[in-house]
Amino acid sequence: MTKAAGTSPAHPALDLAIEILADLVAFPSVSLQPNDTIVSYIETRMRDLGMRCVRDAHEDGQRFNLLASAGPQRPGGVLLSGHMDVVPASPDGWTGDPFILRRDDGRLHGRGAVDMKGFIAIVLASLPDIMAQADSLSMPLHVALSFDEETGFFGASQLPAFFDSIGLRAEIAIIGEPTNMQPFVGHKGGMELTTVVTGTSGHASQPAGMVNAVYYAARLVDFMRSCADDLAAAPIEGSPFNPPHTSLSVGVIRGGEARNIIPDRCEIDWEIRAHPGDDPHQYLGRVTDFITHGLVPEMTAIDPRAGIETHMLCDAPPLEARPDGPAANLVARLWTNETPQVVSFGTDAPFFQKAGMDTVIFGPGGMAQMHQPDEFITEAALVEGLQFIDRLAAYMRGGY
Ligand SMILES: [Zn+2]
């Protein structure tokens, strides 16, 4: 069925969802910070309702994924997922404190309100009802909440091994990122890299015997541009993406101190966004070959201390689109028969796919409000999310 827009009546759990959202926003759970306090808050709520909770710690022991389960203990069922971290918020551009939820004319403003504590709040606000009839769940319900999504999906990347270790195998994963309640089934990957060119420093009047790091970085950037052009010249037939191919791009170049000093260091920030089915490592390999065989021998012949190193900051896989899979079918059955789309931003979703779950990105609120000053979710969007969870719960009790 397709829901008519703008006709959402209030929902009995809306006040609770707003109260929980205010609590969640008040934890300034910016990525890469210890997240024990927000995890404890959520864990306590779920455990008090009778859910089985288990944490999955990062190796630093300070950041945690959280898994909570209810219903029969067997494979299958549905997993709901969200990330608990938020992007930073400098008070500039905000009307109020970004970490105090502000209610204004049907909008709820706060960092993370839409991305994606709003989704976590509607799940938590729905759980009292679900757990009051937990015995009637005919399949397992899991809630998996991750850390550090915004900085490179670090939390979710360790979930497949964690799920393996505890034998969790859900059939369907719903990643509740804000999509205005439209299903998205595919996205590109994201590999983020920094390449550091090391040369030798000297006075510009004496260039002999010096390795000018900016010269070699410039040649490398030009090679990267030619790789990007090759990719653009070979679009993937039938691709739903725009552009319909893997893209490679240089975003930042930093090097040099003064006009009269030969620069001994230059850094290049670049990225590869892999089209599903295309392996970004082959393009990284092309660049690395050019570095190893085309640039470094020349540099070290001048000065053996010179060199080039590449650091990978993030290697997020693409989400392979399965528009006819069980996850997309479930959303179609419960909410909308709109054709599933592909999306340009990365999410935790590929790691759930990797763990064997059929995965869809689907949640309340608008993408345009993500990462913005005065970020907000509307009360109407929360109501839609609550209604969806109601239908999901009815389905899981075998009654929808
Ligand atoms: Zn998000």
Side-chain angles (χ1 to χ4, degrees):
M1 76 206 61
T2 302
K3 222 196 118 285
T7 57
S8 311
H11 186 283
L14 177 62
D15 287 342
L16 178 60
I18 294 172
E19 186 188 315
I20 293 172
L21 180 57
D23 290 345
L24 292 174
V25 166
F27 294 104
S29 55
V30 174
S31 313
L32 303 175
Q33 305 296 316
N35 72 347
D36 176 66
T37 53
I38 187 168
V39 170
S40 295
Y41 169 88
I42 296 170
E43 189 176 39
T44 302
R45 288 198 88 97
M46 297 200 289
R47 192 165 271 152
D48 286 352
L49 292 167
M51 294 188 85
R52 307 180 291 274
C53 294
V54 43
R55 291 185 182 203
D56 168 42
H58 181 262
E59 62 184 14
D60 73 1
Q62 312 244 347
R63 291 171 286 163
F64 305 89
N65 295 311
L66 178 62
L67 174 73
S69 303
Q73 303 197 44
R74 61 165 176 81
V78 177
L79 179 146
L80 300 172
S81 181
H83 60 83
M84 297 176 284
D85 62 310
V86 296
V87 294
S90 84
D92 297 352
W94 283 80
T95 305
D97 185 329
F99 297 104
I100 298 175
L101 191 73
R102 186 168 55 84
R103 213 169 162 174
D104 180 19
D105 198 23
R107 291 179 173 186
L108 299 151
H109 295 272
R111 174 54 84 222
V114 74
D115 183 18
M116 56 185 291
K117 291 175 172 175
F119 179 73
I120 298 174
I122 61 154
V123 171
L124 291 175
S126 301
L127 285 173
D129 225 41
I130 293 172
M131 294 307 293
Q133 316 169 59
D135 290 347
S136 61
L137 287 171
S138 64
M139 61 182 81
L141 168 68
H142 304 284
V143 179
L145 304 175
S146 66
F147 64 90
D148 291 358
E149 191 266 358
E150 299 286 3
T151 41
F153 318 101
F154 300 143
S157 69
Q158 62 184 48
L159 283 176
F162 172 64
F163 291 155
D164 240 19
S165 73
I166 59 168
L168 184 147
R169 189 77 188 243
E171 186 197 12
I172 288 172
I174 298 172
I175 316 301
E177 289 276 1
T179 66
N180 270 324
M181 305 300 276
Q182 297 297 312
F184 288 83
V185 289
H187 61 65
K188 288 184 179 177
M191 183 184 276
E192 298 174 13
L193 305 131
T194 293
T195 296
V196 181
V197 180
T198 304
T200 43
S201 184
H203 195 275
S205 63
Q206 302 294 322
M210 298 293 171
V211 178
N212 185 320
V214 167
Y215 287 167
Y216 287 95
R219 283 166 63 183
L220 182 53
V221 168
D222 193 53
F223 182 80
M224 290 167 171
R225 186 196 51 76
S226 72
C227 291
D229 289 352
D230 290 348
L231 286 164
I236 293 166
E237 211 170 307
S239 167
F241 288 92
N242 180 19
H245 52 78
T246 295
S247 61
L248 185 156
S249 180
V250 175
V252 177
I253 180 161
R254 286 180 296 273
E257 282 176 80
R259 183 179 292 106
N260 61 357
I261 300 173
I262 293 166
D264 64 348
R265 186 179 171 93
C266 188
E267 297 176 0
I268 303 160
D269 293 344
W270 58 296
E271 60 160 40
I272 303 172
R273 289 182 187 248
H275 192 286
D278 201 10
D279 182 3
H281 291 89
Q282 62 178 301
Y283 308 112
L284 173 59
R286 263 182 79 179
V287 171
T288 307
D289 275 357
F290 178 71
I291 290 171
T292 312
H293 304 295
L295 297 178
V296 169
E298 215 180 289
M299 295 166 73
T300 50
I302 301 169
D303 188 319
R305 292 168 299 173
I308 301 179
E309 261 181 50
T310 295
H311 307 278
M312 191 184 294
L313 288 74
C314 169
D315 181 13
L319 180 65
E320 308 275 349
R322 290 179 198 154
D324 299 317
N329 282 335
L330 179 64
V331 169
R333 179 169 173 179
L334 299 183
W335 195 261
T336 172
N337 50 20
E338 299 275 336
T339 307
Q341 306 287 314
V342 296
V343 69
S344 56
F345 59 81
T347 71
D348 282 343
F351 297 101
F352 294 88
Q353 192 170 62
K354 191 176 165 193
M357 303 172 202
D358 200 66
T359 303
V360 63
I361 304 164
F362 173 83
M367 293 175 216
Q369 281 81 53
M370 298 165 77
H371 302 193
Q372 300 297 314
D374 279 346
E375 173 180 346
F376 68 88
I377 189 165
T378 63
E379 290 174 28
L382 290 181
V383 169
E384 287 184 329
L386 289 164
Q387 290 170 336
F388 174 75
I389 304 285
D390 285 347
R391 293 180 192 178
L392 178 67
Y395 162 80
M396 297 180 75
R397 288 191 283 262
Y400 202 94

